[in-house]
Each structure stands twice: as structure tokens, then as C-alpha cells.
Amino acid sequence: MNKNVLKRWLLAALAGVSTFGAAVVPSQAHAQERPAEVRLAWAGAPRVWVLARADQSFDKAFGVPVRWVQFSSGAEVLSLFAANAIDIARFGSSPAVAGITQRLPIEVIGIPEVIATSERLTVRKTITSLKDIEGKTIAYPPNSTAQYALEAAIKVYKLDRSKIKLVALSPTEIVAAWKRGDIDGAYAWDPASQQLSANGGHEIFFTKDLQKDGYLIYNNFVVRKAFAEKYPQIVTAFLKTYQQKVDEYQKDPEAAAQIIAKNIDQPIDSVRRTLSGLSYPSVQQQLSDAYLGNGASKRGAGIDRAMVDTAKFLAGAGQLRADTIPTTYSNSIDSSFLVRASAQ
């Protein structure tokens, strides 16, 4: 994360903390209250939950309208949370860890996707291996899982980082820079990656290639703590409805892809490839120790360990202070809503 961006949203976050105040256990009356609307932050990308946007399943489950707030980077999501402008977001693990470490009042409530091939390094034809990116200019969306994967690949494969010119660009800027010839490659997702491939690029590395080295890179559902405390039934309904959409996608991937492509106005081939490049742990699977865990088992569960590893990585990159990293993130993981959604 750019340090200036980090400073801006952190200052906003600290101001937001005073607004939120101390945590309050919701009363029975609160549990039945409904907000005027629920604000969901999304990147406009092909994801299973777009099915609920297309048929308004979330609106029906909540009993109130949903407002979809679009963002372009993880840093922007954190700023939106700090400004109390969103309630629930789906975004990458590394920016979420950064926000939680800097005491933004948010928590992880689910893992909708584990990234496999949906994020990748696309380069010019003259580059045939990771080693070849030394001496080249490589772009990435800042404060994203793609940036984390790129940095991890450089570390795991022992590349000389000083010889690689790394440039932080939004997906739209990546495509424009590629067409101008300003960059030699980019670690990103579709439709940006697909556009690079369509304009003379090819893929040489996928995020799934890091799994054998112990890297769990995923997207998470994150909620404002104040919202979750006041509207627990909304958060539970959100996770339950999302699981229904995952089931719908897995039952008929092609029909789901067609609906999503139409809703977000993106090429069907790109949508198919993105959706198939993710794995979708079920509500029940997410409660296992491999993911969020449940109750006391949250400490040391897969996501807790991954969050600690991610924070250490960000500290090594100068994006977090090492002395701010806790030994566990279990207090910022709330699997109780998954338990309720599973029971229903």
C-alpha cells in the first residue's frame, strides 16, 4: 500500500473509531431492527455474488434495498469503511489484514473464494519465465491479493527485486499502459488480464502456483463491527444467501456465467475463466480449522495463520509496522454468523 494512501485512510479510520464508540451487545430489540439500506462494496468483477445482484436476492433476504458501492482498490475499500460509507465488502486478504492491523473496526465473517487461476502474471511474448521479468517493468493493482502474490513469487523464486521495476496501477491503467508499451507485464485479474492476452500477451504464472509453498491467498467478506452488532440477522442472511448462489453456480456454471456476464457487461469468455479460476469453500467447510474455525479453534486456524503471515509480509514490504502485528487475528474473525447460516 502506498504510504500516503495508508496515512489518509488510517487518519480517517481513527476518526471513525471515535464515532463507533465502544462495542455494544445488541439487545433483542436491536436484533429485529433493519437499516434503511445495506451497502455492499464490490469491484464490478465477475463473482458468484453478482447472481444475487441480478435477481435482487440480497434485497429480498434483508427486507431492505441493497446499494452496491463500486471500488477500484483495497485501499479504497478501507477508506470507505473508515468513512462509514459501506457495511459489508468482498475484497482481498492483504488489504483486509492491513486495515485490521491498523485498528480499523472491521472483522472477517467469511471466505467466499480461494484464488487459484483467476489472478495471474501476463507478460509480453519475449518473456518466457519468471526469471525473465528481471530488468522489466511489471504492474499490479496496489494493495491487492495480486500484489501480494507477485511479491511472494519474487521471494519464493529468489528473483532480484531491485532489478524489477514494479508499478502500482489500477486495472484500467494497466490496460492503457500495456497498449502504450509502458509496461512489460502485469499481475492482475480479468478483464484486465484477458485484454493483455488479447493484445499480444501470454500467461506465465498463476496464484495457485504458490499453494505448494504454503501461501493461502483468498478474498474475504468483511463487515463493520458496529453493523454486525446491530444487525446480526442481516449478516447471517447475507452469508446464507451467498451460499445459495454458490450452489446455483455449481449446479449450472454456464447459465450462471451468462447471467453474470450480462449483469456486469463483460465478455462471457472472461467471466467463465474468472469464475472457474476460484474455489468456493462452503459455509460448513469455512467453519473447519482449514479456514475460519469455530469458537476457540479460530486461534491457529488456517485463516488466522494466513493473516499473521500476510501481516509479516506487509511489514517486510514496509507497509505495516512489525510491532503492530498481533500473535493472532482470531479476535477479528467472527465465525458465529457462519454457524447461524449453516444451521438455517
Side-chain angles (χ1 to χ4, degrees), residues 51 248 252-260:
L51 293 170
E248 181 180 328
D252 192 342
E254 179 58 25
Q258 293 284 351
I259 292 170
I260 292 169

Side-chain angles (χ1 to χ4, degrees), residues 30-284:
H30 273 165
Q32 301 305 316
E33 288 181 3
R34 293 179 181 177
E37 63 179 3
V38 178
R39 302 162 300 176
L40 303 180
W42 73 312
R47 293 293 186 270
V48 167
W49 74 337
V50 175
L51 293 170
R53 183 174 187 264
D55 66 7
Q56 297 187 314
S57 291
F58 287 138
D59 309 63
K60 296 168 187 174
F62 302 158
V64 298
V66 169
R67 179 152 60 92
W68 294 79
V69 181
Q70 194 162 349
F71 63 85
S72 60
S73 70
E76 187 177 346
V77 180
L78 299 178
S79 294
L80 289 167
F81 269 128
N84 192 21
I86 56 175
D87 303 310
I88 302 173
R90 185 215 63 82
F91 65 123
S93 52
S94 50
V97 167
I100 289 169
T101 305
Q102 299 290 353
R103 301 186 182 278
L104 199 61
I106 57 177
E107 61 189 3
V108 176
I109 57 169
I111 304 300
E113 307 138 357
V114 175
I115 299 168
T117 60
S118 63
E119 295 182 3
R120 62 194 80 92
L121 178 59
T122 307
V123 295
R124 307 238 178 233
K125 294 292 186 181
T126 53
I127 300 173
T128 59
S129 69
L130 271 179
K131 183 68 175 176
D132 291 344
I133 70 173
E134 292 182 351
K136 302 296 192 297
T137 300
I138 305 297
Y140 61 87
N143 195 31
S144 68
T145 48
Q147 178 189 5
Y148 180 32
L150 174 59
E151 294 279 8
I154 291 171
K155 179 181 178 181
V156 168
Y157 289 87
K158 296 180 172 58
L159 304 184
D160 187 340
R161 192 178 185 281
S162 67
K163 294 181 179 179
I164 306 168
K165 184 178 180 181
L166 298 175
V167 183
L169 299 173
S170 71
T172 300
E173 291 170 336
I174 284 173
V175 175
W178 175 271
K179 291 180 178 179
R180 291 194 304 268
D182 294 344
I183 60 174
D184 302 297
Y187 207 117
W189 49 81
D190 282 345
S193 289
Q194 189 275 334
Q195 291 182 55
L196 267 56
S197 294
N199 285 274
H202 71 127
E203 301 150 355
I204 62 169
F205 192 84
F206 299 89
T207 295
K208 72 170 185 177
D209 297 330
L210 291 165
Q211 291 179 4
K212 66 182 184 302
D213 299 295
Y215 286 86
L216 178 61
I217 302 178
Y218 55 91
N219 293 312
N220 35 214
F221 284 139
V222 174
V223 66
R224 281 193 304 112
K225 287 185 177 182
F227 181 88
E229 289 163 358
K230 190 171 184 179
Y231 306 113
Q233 79 283 7
I234 294 284
V235 180
T236 300
F238 171 78
L239 293 172
K240 178 184 175 182
T241 303
Y242 177 74
Q243 182 62 54
Q244 291 170 349
K245 293 306 167 185
V246 170
D247 295 342
E248 181 180 328
Y249 165 70
Q250 293 177 334
K251 182 178 180 180
D252 192 342
E254 179 58 25
Q258 293 284 351
I259 292 170
I260 292 169
K262 182 178 180 180
N263 188 266
I264 62 177
D265 192 24
Q266 289 188 13
I268 183 62
D269 289 343
S270 175
V271 172
R272 285 194 199 101
R273 186 165 68 161
T274 296
L275 295 174
S276 64
L278 300 162
S279 61
Y280 306 92
S282 68
V283 166
Q284 292 79 12

